[in-house]
Protein backbone atom coordinates (compact mmCIF):
# COMPACT_ATOMS: atom_id res chain seq x y z
CA UNK A 1 0.00 0.00 0.00
CA UNK A 2 2.89 2.41 0.69
CA UNK A 3 6.44 2.50 -0.69
CA UNK A 4 8.99 4.48 1.33
CA UNK A 5 11.68 4.45 -1.37
CA UNK A 6 11.29 3.36 -4.98
CA UNK A 7 14.62 2.77 -6.75
CA UNK A 8 14.45 2.63 -10.53
CA UNK A 9 17.06 1.92 -13.19
CA UNK A 10 14.96 0.79 -16.13
CA UNK A 11 17.26 1.68 -19.03
CA UNK A 12 15.11 4.20 -20.90
CA UNK A 13 11.65 2.88 -20.02
CA UNK A 14 11.16 5.86 -17.69
CA UNK A 15 9.27 7.61 -20.49
CA UNK A 16 6.73 4.78 -20.67
CA UNK A 17 6.32 4.43 -16.89
CA UNK A 18 5.95 8.14 -16.16
CA UNK A 19 3.94 9.19 -19.24
CA UNK A 20 0.77 8.50 -17.25
CA UNK A 21 1.81 7.28 -13.81
CA UNK A 22 -1.66 7.02 -12.31
CA UNK A 23 -2.51 6.74 -8.65
CA UNK A 24 0.50 4.62 -7.69
CA UNK A 25 2.67 7.74 -7.53
CA UNK A 26 0.54 9.01 -4.62
CA UNK A 27 1.70 5.99 -2.61
CA UNK A 28 5.44 6.65 -2.96
CA UNK A 29 7.43 8.72 -0.47
CA UNK A 30 10.71 8.98 -2.38
CA UNK A 31 12.19 7.96 -5.72
CA UNK A 32 15.83 7.33 -6.64
CA UNK A 33 16.07 7.03 -10.40
CA UNK A 34 18.62 6.97 -13.18
CA UNK A 35 17.10 8.90 -16.08
CA UNK A 36 18.31 7.92 -19.55
CA UNK A 37 18.25 10.90 -21.86
CA UNK A 38 16.57 14.28 -22.10
CA UNK A 39 13.13 12.94 -23.06
CA UNK A 40 13.02 10.65 -20.02
CA UNK A 41 14.01 13.59 -17.81
CA UNK A 42 11.26 15.73 -19.33
CA UNK A 43 8.54 13.09 -18.88
CA UNK A 44 9.66 12.44 -15.30
CA UNK A 45 9.51 16.14 -14.44
CA UNK A 46 6.08 16.45 -16.09
CA UNK A 47 4.79 13.52 -14.03
CA UNK A 48 5.95 15.28 -10.85
CA UNK A 49 4.51 18.67 -11.82
CA UNK A 50 1.47 18.12 -9.60
CA UNK A 51 3.64 17.30 -6.59
CA UNK A 52 5.75 19.11 -4.07
CA UNK A 53 9.07 17.42 -3.26
CA UNK A 54 12.68 17.89 -2.32
CA UNK A 55 15.06 17.02 -5.15
CA UNK A 56 18.74 16.40 -5.63
CA UNK A 57 21.09 14.84 -8.14
CA UNK A 58 24.26 12.89 -7.51
CA UNK A 59 26.03 11.77 -10.65
CA UNK A 60 23.44 9.98 -12.77
CA UNK A 61 21.00 9.43 -9.89
CA UNK A 62 18.10 11.80 -9.35
CA UNK A 63 16.40 11.64 -5.95
CA UNK A 64 13.03 13.12 -5.05
CA UNK A 65 11.90 12.84 -1.45
CA UNK A 66 9.01 14.04 0.69
CA UNK A 67 6.82 13.54 -2.38
CA UNK A 68 3.32 14.91 -1.80
CA UNK A 69 0.51 15.95 -4.10
CA UNK A 70 -0.18 19.68 -4.34
Amino acid sequence: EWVDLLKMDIEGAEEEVFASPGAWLDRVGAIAIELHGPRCQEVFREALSGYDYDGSTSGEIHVVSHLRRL
Side-chain angles (χ1 to χ4, degrees), residues 12-35:
E14 302 91 350
E15 184 175 352
E16 184 177 331
V17 170
F18 287 97
S20 53
W24 67 265
L25 195 51
D26 291 340
R27 297 189 308 265
V28 176
I31 301 172
I33 187 168
E34 184 176 341
L35 296 169

Side-chain angles (χ1 to χ4, degrees), residues 21-70:
W24 67 265
L25 195 51
D26 291 340
R27 297 189 308 265
V28 176
I31 301 172
I33 187 168
E34 184 176 341
L35 296 169
H36 297 86
R39 180 66 184 146
C40 290
Q41 291 179 18
E42 180 182 330
V43 170
F44 182 67
R45 287 189 181 102
E46 287 174 12
L48 296 180
S49 66
Y51 293 82
D52 187 32
Y53 58 89
D54 297 323
S56 65
T57 301
S58 178
E60 298 177 336
I61 305 298
H62 301 269
V63 177
V64 295
S65 58
H66 304 107
L67 192 61
R68 55 206 168 271
R69 188 172 282 281
L70 293 173

